[in-house]
């Protein structure tokens, strides 16, 4: 079976919601496209692949995922090219990362033909939902959760895999003010921080809420042992441009192997910019800021794309980031990524896939 030969039963909506969407004012995550792809894991295999109108699910109150959190997801994007084609960005990397999360959460892996076959068919059906407005894209949310109606703690025998999509604009309306978290932690060595499991996000909400009450938009997580080293931010990896180099924390089992992050690293290598993937102490960043050696600090992720920070707060002090120059690395890499994703420039890396 290949992605093209996967048998998918399709039930189209008879009431599209497309006309209700204001594509010139897209708010992240608010509008969901007409259809969703679903497959069920039963008797040790994925089956019943289908596309149906987006709508509510019926679940047992004993559904295992709701109690013990066996639930994982991905975030990926599709773009509209000037020719009107739908271009998927690095979808195979998302599929691979999804299966890594599945393994760690003791869930079944999903075959490439189910993930990619379901995704491409869904995108063909909802092609009109892929925005062409500048800075906009179709955010894709594949996820899997345990469906056994059973109250004991054990890996579920049954699962559901779903993909739905939403046309989105920018995630942050303005450059985020971030705070270095030195009390709560996101992940510890040996834990699940390197996976995209639902619980990682649930655990981050309370510390993020406290930071928001202090006027910050997002946290920068530090290591669980000493709170001295930078890990990642709430919805994105963290990167710095300092001393003429791109510097970013290395990927470990406490940080996500971000696909935007690794694309930016690849582009920097391609442009001949020195890259350091290593441990970065908070103190080092604050020193560089004070000595005007830090050109920029930014978040990188599927949802946020490339988001330069406005300020970094540490131990009660707000440090303002310098204003970005037109030709700064951040601006250039953001534009270049957009050009690759929308097919405006040659994709020398082989990252895009025409649906
Ligand atoms: C993404 O960037 O796709 C993410 O998963 C972040 C999200 C939780 C909004």
């Amino acid at each position: 079976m290949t992605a093209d030969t996967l048998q998918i039963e399709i039930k189209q909506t008879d009431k599209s919601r497309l006309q209700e969407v204001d594509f010139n004012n897209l708010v992240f995550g608010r509008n969901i496209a007409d259809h969703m792809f679903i497959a069920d894991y039963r008797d040790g295999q994925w089956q019943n692949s289908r596309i149906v109108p987006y709508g509510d699910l019926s679940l047992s109150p004993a559904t295992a995922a709701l109690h013990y959190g066996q639930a994982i997801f991905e975030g990926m994007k599709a773009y509209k090219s000037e020719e009107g084609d739908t271009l998927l960005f690095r979808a195979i990397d998302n599929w691979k990362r999804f299966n890594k999360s599945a393994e760690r959460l003791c869930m079944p892996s999903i075959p490439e033909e189910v993930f990619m076959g379901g995704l491409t068919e869904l995108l063909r059906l909802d092609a009109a939902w892929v925005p062409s407005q500048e800075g906009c894209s179709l955010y894709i949310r594949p996820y899997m959760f345990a469906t056994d109606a059973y109250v004991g703690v054990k890996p579920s025998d049954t699962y559901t895999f779903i993909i739905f999509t939403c046309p989105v604009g920018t995630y942050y309306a303005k450059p985020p003010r971030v705070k270095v978290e030195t009390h709560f932690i996101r992940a510890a060595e040996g834990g699940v921080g390197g996976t995209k499991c639902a619980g990682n996000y649930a655990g981050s909400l309370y510390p993020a809420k406290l930071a928001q009450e202090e006027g910050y938009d997002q946290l920068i997580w530090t290591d669980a042992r000493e709170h001295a080293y930078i890990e990642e931010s709430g919805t994105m990896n963290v990167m710095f441009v300092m001393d003429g180099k791109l510097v970013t924390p290395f990927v470990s089992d406490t940080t996500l192997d971000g696909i935007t992050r690794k694309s930016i690293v690849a582009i920097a290598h391609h442009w001949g910019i020195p890259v350091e993937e290593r441990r970065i102490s908070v103190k080092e960043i604050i020193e560089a800021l004070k000595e005007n050696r830090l050109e920029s600090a930014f978040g990188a992720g599927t949802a946020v794309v490339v988001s330069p920070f406005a300020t970094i707060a540490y131990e009660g002090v707000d440090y303002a980031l310098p204003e970005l120059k037109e030709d700064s690395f951040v601006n250039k890499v953001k534009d270049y990524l957009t050009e690759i994703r929308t097919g405006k420039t040659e994709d020398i890396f082989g990252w895009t896939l025409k649906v």
Side-chain angles (χ1 to χ4, degrees):
M1 193 168 42
T2 66
D4 286 333
T5 58
L6 175 77
Q7 295 290 314
I8 304 176
E9 194 184 311
I10 298 178
K11 182 173 183 291
Q12 261 181 262
T13 183
D14 48 20
K15 202 168 174 295
S16 171
R17 288 172 285 101
L18 189 61
Q19 300 311 322
E20 296 164 18
V21 179
D22 179 357
F23 276 81
N24 292 313
N25 290 296
L26 290 171
V27 178
F28 191 94
R30 186 106 359 116
N31 305 289
I32 298 183
D34 281 336
H35 298 94
M36 58 184 179
F37 172 79
I38 309 185
D40 302 316
Y41 187 79
R42 302 281 181 274
D43 304 323
Q45 45 186 325
W46 288 101
Q47 45 188 274
N48 197 14
S49 292
R50 58 204 186 274
I51 290 177
V52 293
Y54 177 83
D56 293 347
L57 304 170
S58 164
L59 294 175
S60 158
T63 297
L66 301 179
H67 300 262
Y68 307 123
Q70 247 193 317
I72 56 170
F73 69 96
E74 272 301 320
M76 52 211 281
K77 278 182 174 170
Y79 295 77
K80 187 73 89 193
S81 74
E82 271 171 3
E83 293 71 38
D85 295 317
T86 298
L87 301 176
L88 255 173
F89 185 72
R90 302 199 75 168
I92 293 288
D93 294 86
N94 288 94
W95 164 67
K96 288 183 183 158
R97 192 172 65 177
F98 192 73
N99 279 343
K100 274 198 188 155
S101 298
E103 185 181 6
R104 179 63 181 83
L105 273 283
C106 215
M107 301 166 90
S109 62
I110 187 120
E112 183 178 347
E113 60 269 18
V114 176
F115 191 98
M116 292 304 293
L119 177 58
T120 45
E121 206 47 51
L122 182 67
L123 292 183
R124 282 180 196 142
L125 199 60
D126 281 339
W129 286 81
V130 185
S132 50
Q133 287 77 358
E134 203 184 318
C136 297
S137 56
L138 189 76
Y139 185 78
I140 301 164
R141 173 50 56 85
Y143 64 110
M144 189 208 301
F145 58 97
T147 52
D148 277 7
Y150 177 68
V151 182
V153 180
K154 71 164 191 65
S156 182
D157 291 323
T158 62
Y159 296 85
T160 293
F161 171 69
I162 301 183
I163 310 176
F164 67 79
T165 67
C166 0
V168 296
T170 46
Y171 193 86
Y172 288 115
K174 55 184 179 41
R177 288 161 46 77
V178 297
K179 178 191 161 188
V180 177
E181 178 58 60
T182 51
H183 174 67
F184 296 101
I185 60 159
R186 175 186 173 274
E189 283 155 35
V192 291
T195 73
K196 259 182 118 58
C197 70
N200 282 342
Y201 295 80
S204 73
L205 296 177
Y206 179 66
K209 182 181 124 187
L210 296 183
Q212 277 154 15
E213 285 167 4
E214 290 178 67
Y216 301 105
D217 300 299
Q218 197 43 272
L219 294 174
I220 291 185
W221 297 105
T222 49
D223 69 288
R225 282 178 202 268
E226 301 173 63
H227 285 301
Y229 298 96
I230 291 174
E231 297 257 298
E232 62 174 63
S233 190
T235 47
M236 50 204 168
N237 293 109
V238 182
M239 309 185 100
F240 303 93
V241 179
M242 59 179 177
D243 302 325
K245 293 178 278 198
L246 176 67
V247 187
T248 186
F250 52 55
V251 169
S252 67
D253 65 356
T254 60
T255 48
L256 260 188
D257 188 4
I259 288 157
T260 309
R261 173 195 176 282
K262 68 176 164 207
S263 305
I264 293 171
V265 166
I267 292 170
H269 281 305
H270 173 65
W271 285 347
I273 293 167
V275 179
E276 291 178 3
E277 296 180 71
R278 61 170 171 85
R279 260 188 144 193
I280 304 170
S281 74
V282 183
K283 291 218 155 53
E284 175 184 352
I285 295 302
I286 302 301
E287 284 302 301
L289 255 166
K290 285 182 183 161
E291 292 164 9
N292 295 323
R293 289 184 292 107
L294 190 79
E295 180 186 305
S296 60
F298 60 100
T302 299
V304 304
V305 190
V306 173
S307 252
F309 301 150
T311 54
I312 299 181
Y314 181 55
E315 292 181 335
V317 183
D318 283 349
Y319 296 90
L321 272 298
E323 208 158 293
L324 282 180
K325 298 207 178 82
E326 192 71 18
D327 65 345
S328 63
F329 175 80
V330 180
N331 285 336
K332 284 205 300 205
V333 84
K334 187 174 179 183
D335 290 349
Y336 186 55
L337 264 175
T338 305
E339 282 169 17
I340 292 178
R341 288 165 154 162
T342 52
K344 283 200 188 105
T345 202
E346 188 195 351
D347 173 16
I348 55 166
F349 301 96
W351 287 335
T352 50
L353 180 74
K354 188 153 100 176
V355 173

